[in-house]
Amino acid sequence: MSQVLTMNRIDNLFQTKKERVLSIYFTAGFPKLEDTLTIMQAIESAGANIIEVGVPYSDPIADGPTIQDSNQIALDNGMSLKRLFEQLQDMRQTVSLPVVLMGYLNPIIQYGMEAFCKKCQEIGVDGLILPDLPMQQYLDEFKEVFDKYDLRNTFLISPQTSEKRIREIDTHSNGFIYMVSAHSITGARTGISEEQIAYFQRVEAMNLKNPRLIGFGISDSETFTTASKYGNGAIIGSAFIKKIKESQDLKSDIESYIQSVIH
Amino acid sequence: MIKIDEKGFYGKFGGAYIPEMLHPNIEELRENYEQIMATPEFQKEFRGLLKDFVGRPTPLYFASRLSEKYGAKIYLKREDLCHTGAHKVNNTVGQIIMAKKLGKKRIIAETGAGQHGVATATVCALMGMDCTIYMGAVDIQRQRPNVERMKILGAKVVPATSGSQTLKDATNEAMRQWINNPVDTHYIIGSVVGPHPYPEMVARFQSVISEEIKWQLKEKEGTENPDIIIACVGGGSNAAGAFFHYYNVPQVRLVAAEAAGLGVTSGKSAATTVLGTSGILHGSKTLLMQTEDGQVVEPHSISAGLDYPGIGPVHAHLFDIGRAEFVAVEDEDAMKAGIELSRTEGIIPAIETAHAIHALNLIEYSKDDIIVINLSGRGDKDLDTYIKWGGY
């Protein structure tokens, strides 16, 4: 990693914080179209470390019912990539955490990959997670443009990912690696099993160059702490979506939830 | 030359845009399928089942009254006579043997109208494999008899309750379940869609259709090559099978009939080559119906089997390079063509197939032309739709 000259907030974060990094995912435009910035500000003030903004899609094949549902509601609310960029245009006036956009490839390709990456840099996005972008396609088609606009690219690995493949992913990743804790869609599991811990340990022993965040199945202080033992931190998605779905006071509910996870 | 490249692309279309969690499964299949298919052992079992279980070869039937009516030599490739009533079973027989060779214990599949679900449940019963079928909740209501057929055959039918609750959502759900059960489970995709190598593998299993057309036509007409082959296209598996051995025989015109629904400009259509643009759906880059913002649009067709917002990448390529002619057939015209075939030849076709029959009215040909229409399925499953339509 180019640790000297970078201004990228993801790099900066992992240079100073190696453990208990908490990343929070939410779907842009959910529960209400205009909640995006409010949610981001609350995640920051509550003490989380990375904000993952989900770009809603009609066919999110790696997501379980909770996130699917939030995607559909966001789309029904009128959310689109263009609208999202408008909402995020001035985010850097109020949000200083690293921001990662997470979304499926098709809406981004329709926007235009280069235009998308350029816009991301302009508004201060630091990285991307595109679950249906395979490594080979990334290398063949998109790596150059991601690099040009200083965007970190995060790949997922699962318990089925071979050691050889993990090494390749580590070589071609920057930012961090997203460890799917069970071979599962989002929101499908709760708690962490012995088997998963064996997998975390196996990957930990590989001494990868990239930091590792553990996702899928993290919902509270206990699971966060367990995951943080074996990685540099964890990602909460579905559990967070459930918390904000019924919220009457986003700022206060988000702050109390995140603080309950961290402490 | 129409040929898949080493990365799984037909020209600009194809590939494997899949979540990393599916990478091991797809890689396992990609690395092994060609080799497994090439073994004499596989071929013996596959060919044996196609003959004795499916009932192949299916006849290539000269439709004399239809020929007289349209002024051409029209042959019908009778896939409707396959066991379970459509071409779908050619693929499921191939894939179930593949799954066994890969050591899988469990089968999952998506289905729209239920034909692929029934064909999958059938081969699972045949092989004693555990079978779960994902089907849109709306389709479960619309296609009750097929749901019961699957259950009789021992399959579990699970409703997909997201989105429009039809084929697209059933496919999403099957992919999610595959992510959740990657080790022991094989996903039998029912059309020439999905991530590489599925489109090519399914096309190869279905290619038995054009393989038979070649020798059957040679017997009847002294030539392997018809002037025109017509097939309907939803995802496009029967068309891929009927076109396969003719892709690179340029004098054979390939005609693909898409579902125009209530009309291509009505907002209720499934005519993907007219309304679609390049994008990524269910793991491959292809033509698909989408909004400007890249959200997938809900299609419409009276035929559940054509009610899909994309087409297989090979068809997107055939369209792109102009190798196939695409025509769009409206619901009403397809229904009338179904009645027409019933009364001229005594064959009630599936409504999907009826779209291909109507294409005779939309293309040019001359009196001496030999036209083969792939009669992909029979109409038993569609009786309710015929009755509700009522125009007979």
Side-chain angles (χ1 to χ4, degrees):
Chain A
M1 277 191 291
S2 53
Q3 296 194 341
V4 186
L5 293 171
T6 185
M7 292 294 289
N8 189 288
R9 293 169 196 82
I10 297 171
D11 297 351
N12 290 340
L13 171 70
F14 286 107
Q15 277 174 31
T16 54
K17 188 167 169 67
K18 312 271 185 210
E19 50 187 32
R20 291 181 69 84
V21 169
L22 177 62
S23 180
I24 299 286
Y25 167 93
F26 74 102
T27 307
F30 171 89
K32 298 276 188 318
L33 180 63
E34 299 299 337
D35 287 337
T36 313
L37 267 184
T38 311
I39 293 171
M40 293 172 80
Q41 288 158 2
I43 291 171
E44 177 156 332
S45 63
N49 309 106
I50 298 174
I51 304 173
E52 280 178 34
V53 183
V55 180
Y57 181 47
S58 54
D59 296 78
I61 56 168
D63 286 299
T66 305
I67 293 180
Q68 280 175 49
D69 191 42
S70 69
N71 275 248
Q72 193 54 55
I73 291 170
L75 291 174
D76 293 345
N77 287 342
M79 184 46 84
S80 68
L81 199 45
K82 279 184 194 141
R83 189 81 196 83
L84 178 61
F85 280 142
E86 284 164 21
Q87 292 179 348
L88 300 183
Q89 186 64 41
D90 298 321
M91 71 174 182
R92 286 303 173 198
Q93 292 176 7
T94 51
V95 176
S96 59
L97 288 184
V99 171
V100 174
L101 294 194
M102 178 161 187
Y104 291 83
L105 211 42
N106 197 50
I108 294 166
I109 285 180
Q110 301 313 317
Y111 190 92
M113 187 57 90
E114 171 127 24
F116 171 80
C117 290
K118 187 163 183 264
K119 190 77 186 170
C120 282
Q121 188 189 39
E122 182 188 312
I123 62 178
V125 170
D126 304 284
L128 302 172
I129 305 175
L130 308 176
D132 58 347
L133 173 59
M135 188 170 61
Q136 196 56 51
Q137 258 79 18
Y138 162 72
L139 294 174
D140 292 350
E141 297 177 50
F142 303 129
K143 183 179 187 309
E144 206 174 308
V145 70
F146 282 29
D147 288 347
K148 180 175 168 189
Y149 296 102
D150 199 32
L151 294 166
R152 299 293 169 265
N153 182 44
T154 288
F155 286 110
L156 281 64
I157 63 173
S158 82
Q160 258 54 57
T161 312
S162 67
E163 178 162 345
K164 178 167 170 277
R165 178 86 175 165
I166 293 174
R167 295 274 176 216
E168 285 170 8
I169 285 174
D170 191 43
T171 303
H172 299 301
S173 291
N174 42 36
F176 61 94
I177 287 176
Y178 189 154
M179 285 177 71
V180 178
S181 67
H183 36 72
S184 73
I185 55 173
T186 55
R189 311 277 161 127
T190 50
I192 295 174
S193 66
E194 293 290 314
E195 195 186 344
Q196 283 167 273
I197 287 174
Y199 153 64
F200 297 157
Q201 288 173 327
R202 177 166 63 85
V203 178
E204 193 178 20
M206 288 177 70
N207 287 317
L208 303 179
K209 75 174 168 78
N210 286 284
R212 288 158 289 120
L213 297 185
I214 293 172
F216 292 30
I218 314 297
S219 61
D220 54 18
S221 170
E222 192 191 336
T223 44
F224 176 59
T225 298
T226 308
S228 294
K229 257 188 239 167
Y230 304 102
N232 302 79
I235 299 169
I236 297 183
S238 298
F240 183 76
I241 296 287
K242 282 179 191 157
K243 289 287 171 201
I244 62 174
K245 187 174 183 181
E246 305 300 337
S247 172
Q248 296 301 315
D249 181 348
L250 279 175
K251 190 171 167 12
S252 128
D253 289 347
I254 288 170
E255 286 178 357
S256 63
Y257 172 63
I258 290 176
Q259 278 161 13
S260 79
V261 172
I262 297 173
H263 298 299
Chain B
M1 188 76 175
I2 312 290
K3 197 170 180 293
I4 194 159
D5 72 18
E6 61 195 27
K7 288 179 177 171
F9 282 84
Y10 305 92
K12 291 182 265 186
F13 302 104
Y17 296 86
I18 45 158
E20 184 62 31
M21 295 84 91
L22 286 179
H23 180 82
N25 300 51
I26 293 292
E27 202 54 16
E28 180 185 35
L29 193 59
R30 192 186 64 79
E31 281 174 356
N32 293 299
Y33 87 102
E34 282 180 306
Q35 193 197 334
I36 292 175
M37 276 177 82
T39 59
E41 200 188 327
F42 181 94
Q43 284 300 324
K44 186 167 176 248
E45 190 172 2
F46 180 53
R47 298 285 166 173
L49 285 172
L50 287 184
K51 177 169 179 284
D52 296 328
F53 185 68
V54 174
R56 304 203 71 94
T58 59
L60 183 69
Y61 164 72
F62 178 66
S64 60
R65 296 190 64 215
L66 200 68
S67 295
E68 198 176 318
K69 187 166 176 183
Y70 282 93
K73 283 182 168 173
I74 302 173
Y75 284 88
L76 304 176
K77 179 57 175 163
R78 298 291 309 274
E79 293 301 297
D80 61 316
L81 296 176
C82 288
H83 179 42
T84 72
H87 71 288
K88 291 287 186 190
V89 73
N90 301 327
N91 169 46
T92 61
V93 165
Q95 285 206 46
I96 197 92
I97 304 170
M98 183 67 65
K100 265 199 336 187
K101 304 278 179 212
L102 292 170
K104 305 294 176 180
K105 304 278 179 264
R106 229 181 125 241
I107 297 295
I108 58 172
E110 85 295 340
T111 196
Q115 288 304 103
H116 174 58
V118 168
T120 303
T122 298
V123 296
C124 287
L126 179 73
M127 299 290 183
M129 302 251 279
D130 184 79
C131 179
T132 305
I133 306 290
Y134 296 89
M135 186 169 185
V138 167
D139 287 337
I140 287 180
Q141 291 308 313
R142 295 199 283 203
Q143 308 284 343
R144 205 77 227 173
N146 269 346
V147 174
E148 298 310 319
R149 286 168 85 193
M150 288 183 261
K151 288 184 184 168
I152 288 168
L153 290 160
K156 192 171 149 208
V157 181
V158 177
T161 54
S162 62
S164 60
Q165 310 187 355
T166 57
L167 176 57
K168 168 175 85 76
D169 312 288
T171 307
N172 290 339
E173 205 47 42
M175 287 199 168
R176 289 185 187 111
Q177 294 312 317
W178 205 23
I179 290 172
N180 280 344
N181 303 283
V183 182
D184 64 342
T185 302
H186 177 71
Y187 176 18
I188 300 190
I189 294 184
S191 191
V192 288
V193 302
H196 176 63
Y198 275 103
E200 181 67 10
M201 181 175 71
V202 174
R204 289 195 196 180
F205 288 139
Q206 292 294 357
S207 71
V208 66
I209 299 171
S210 47
E211 183 187 303
E212 288 175 7
I213 293 172
K214 285 180 88 165
W215 64 258
Q216 289 171 321
L217 201 63
K218 178 91 181 168
E219 277 182 11
K220 289 174 196 288
E221 294 284 344
T223 172
E224 290 184 339
N225 300 332
D227 296 289
I228 301 171
I229 303 176
I230 306 176
C232 64
V233 174
S237 68
N238 92 78
F243 295 168
F244 194 91
H245 290 287
Y246 297 107
Y247 284 154
N248 298 306
V249 186
Q251 67 267 34
V252 179
R253 286 166 58 195
L254 308 177
V255 175
E258 291 188 296
L262 300 181
V264 290
T265 57
S266 67
K268 290 269 181 191
S269 180
T272 307
T273 60
V274 183
L275 300 167
T277 50
S278 177
I280 291 166
L281 178 67
H282 295 145
S284 62
K285 187 180 280 180
T286 189
L287 291 172
L288 69 118
M289 291 165 50
Q290 56 185 326
T291 65
E292 253 178 72
D293 192 42
Q295 308 297 337
V296 181
V297 166
E298 300 300 344
H300 165 84
S301 167
I302 194 165
S303 140
L306 303 184
D307 201 354
Y308 185 71
I311 51 173
V314 70
H315 296 298
H317 180 55
L318 294 175
F319 176 75
D320 187 47
I321 62 170
R323 174 65 187 95
E325 301 161 48
F326 282 72
V327 296
V329 178
E330 295 187 10
D331 287 352
E332 186 71 10
D333 290 330
M335 295 307 292
K336 285 180 183 157
I339 302 302
E340 178 186 26
L341 187 73
S342 303
R343 295 190 181 174
T344 50
E345 298 293 342
I347 299 167
I348 303 176
I351 295 167
E352 289 81 0
T353 312
H355 288 69
I357 307 293
H358 181 75
L360 286 170
N361 298 288
L362 304 177
I363 59 166
E364 292 189 2
Y365 49 87
S366 59
K367 193 165 67 60
D368 298 326
D369 280 353
I370 299 169
I371 301 176
V372 174
I373 301 176
N374 196 34
L375 206 77
S376 56
R378 57 184 181 239
D380 306 26
K381 70 179 177 66
D382 292 319
L383 266 193
D384 265 359
T385 311
Y386 276 115
I387 292 165
K388 275 185 199 136
W389 176 70
Y392 52 89

